[in-house]
Amino acid sequence: MKYNDFCQQMELRERKPRRKDNLIAEEVISEYLKRTCKVELSDQGENSIEDLLYEYFSIKESVDEKVFLEVLDFYHFNYSMSIHNAIYYLLATKRDHIDGINPLLWPGVYDIKKDKSRYILDTTLGTVEVYQASDIFSNSKSFHIFKKDLTGQCYERSYDFLCENHDYQAVLSYMPNFFYGGHYHAYLEKGDEVLDIASNALYDSKESIDKILYGEVIAKLTYKEVQQKFNTLKNTIPNVSPKNKLLTLALYYDRANIKRSGKKI
């Protein structure tokens, strides 16, 4: 395996599907505008997925919402990813809280209640229970990790936490996009507990975990296994960057799994 294989893997398994995902979003927008006899969206940018979501935010609970949902369902919209994003905004730390999108606006989210430290989401997939991880770990040795950027940093923060908590495993997964393909994601697991640190979320309910983090598990690795395997790769492929160890390992194991199954990448 060469360094270029990792680059190709990212292109085929993340970047190319993301472009296709956006093209389908364009079709959804076009169909929605046609059904509602609208000329254009209320606000339009350069990313069709974002355009689609912001349009939904603006029309939720209006007469157009039913039409919008019908189009989403026709195109097999992934509500799990939508609810996952809502959880990002629900549990974001002050450092990660940027535009303040109301988590209730996301497609598939009906209601959110708080019971002490637990959040209970009523969704199109059923009830989802989750805790704000930074609160749960506020008195732990690893609380300083939650003061860093979390959103969009699943590999780095998962690795940071794993380095200090060897009783956890890193879970490397391939999560479905909104319409097409998927993307790599890393989180942590200990027994029945899952820490999705990028969304500052802690789950202790398997039922809730399966609704949100239901992607294909590529590998589960202890801290020791991460170090051993990465060092082997580094010695074999000298120009592999020491940064983003978990992403590198996700790419490696995903490629190996696909080849083993006989499927095409």
Side-chain angles (χ1 to χ4, degrees):
M1 192 172 186
K2 300 177 181 179
Y3 179 72
N4 285 342
D5 293 328
F6 288 106
C7 298
Q8 182 187 44
Q9 186 83 358
M10 282 294 290
E11 175 65 26
L12 294 175
R13 294 283 275 166
E14 272 210 350
R15 299 188 188 101
K16 191 173 180 180
R18 189 181 299 123
R19 291 193 289 269
K20 177 68 173 178
D21 206 38
N22 264 284
L23 288 174
I24 296 174
E26 286 182 20
E27 294 181 27
V28 172
I29 291 169
S30 178
E31 179 63 22
Y32 164 72
L33 293 176
K34 183 172 72 174
R35 293 193 189 189
T36 55
C37 299
K38 292 185 177 181
V39 177
E40 60 183 13
L41 299 178
S42 54
D43 186 21
Q44 195 159 349
E46 297 180 357
N47 183 302
S48 296
I49 290 289
E50 289 185 1
D51 290 343
L52 180 153
L53 291 169
Y54 277 101
E55 178 67 13
Y56 182 81
F57 298 158
S58 71
I59 58 93
K60 189 165 186 178
E61 296 186 353
S62 74
V63 292
D64 289 332
E65 182 186 13
K66 182 180 178 181
V67 177
F68 203 109
L69 292 175
E70 288 174 352
V71 178
L72 288 182
D73 290 341
F74 180 80
Y75 281 88
H76 307 292
F77 180 76
N78 179 12
Y79 284 99
S80 180
M81 185 171 179
S82 179
I83 298 164
H84 194 191
N85 274 275
I87 290 170
Y88 270 86
Y89 283 88
L90 174 67
L91 304 180
T93 62
K94 289 182 179 179
R95 183 185 182 95
D96 279 326
H97 199 76
I98 302 173
D99 52 14
I101 294 175
N102 186 340
L104 281 169
L105 293 177
W106 288 82
V109 178
Y110 302 140
D111 191 27
I112 300 174
K113 294 179 180 178
K114 188 176 182 183
D115 178 20
K116 296 181 180 178
S117 60
R118 178 180 57 170
Y119 290 86
I120 304 167
L121 288 78
D122 180 20
T123 79
T124 190
L125 301 180
T127 301
V128 174
E129 298 181 1
V130 64
Y131 298 83
Q132 189 170 44
S134 55
D135 282 352
I136 301 300
F137 290 96
S138 60
N139 295 317
S140 75
K141 63 180 180 181
S142 300
F143 180 63
H144 67 97
I145 297 171
F146 294 89
K147 296 180 181 179
K148 300 179 180 181
D149 292 335
L150 301 180
T151 302
Q153 306 295 322
C154 67
Y155 314 113
E156 293 91 336
R157 297 296 86 83
S158 292
Y159 181 74
D160 289 344
F161 192 89
L162 186 67
C163 287
E164 297 184 1
N165 300 272
H166 296 181
D167 51 339
Y168 281 78
Q169 285 184 306
V171 181
L172 310 177
S173 68
Y174 188 70
M175 302 273 289
N177 290 332
F178 284 110
F179 298 104
Y180 180 85
H183 58 280
Y184 293 108
H185 185 55
Y187 53 95
L188 299 137
E189 181 180 87
K190 182 177 75 170
D192 296 329
E193 179 183 289
V194 163
L195 172 59
D196 185 16
I197 197 165
S199 62
N200 195 23
L202 180 71
Y203 301 87
D204 64 2
S205 160
K206 187 178 185 305
E207 186 178 356
S208 295
I209 294 165
D210 290 346
K211 288 170 184 170
I212 305 302
L213 299 167
Y214 78 103
E216 173 191 352
V217 174
I218 299 168
K220 293 185 180 182
L221 303 170
T222 64
Y223 171 77
K224 184 177 180 180
E225 289 169 334
V226 168
Q227 302 308 317
Q228 289 176 340
K229 190 61 187 181
F230 186 82
N231 285 336
T232 300
L233 284 177
K234 187 174 63 175
N235 291 332
T236 308
I237 312 169
N239 51 354
V240 167
S241 171
K243 296 180 180 179
N244 280 346
K245 289 183 180 180
L246 294 185
L247 174 58
T248 299
L249 291 173
L251 292 167
Y252 169 80
Y253 280 105
D254 190 35
R255 187 179 186 86
N257 291 345
I258 292 171
K259 284 191 172 183
R260 194 179 301 117
S261 68
K263 297 178 181 177
K264 291 183 178 181
I265 298 177

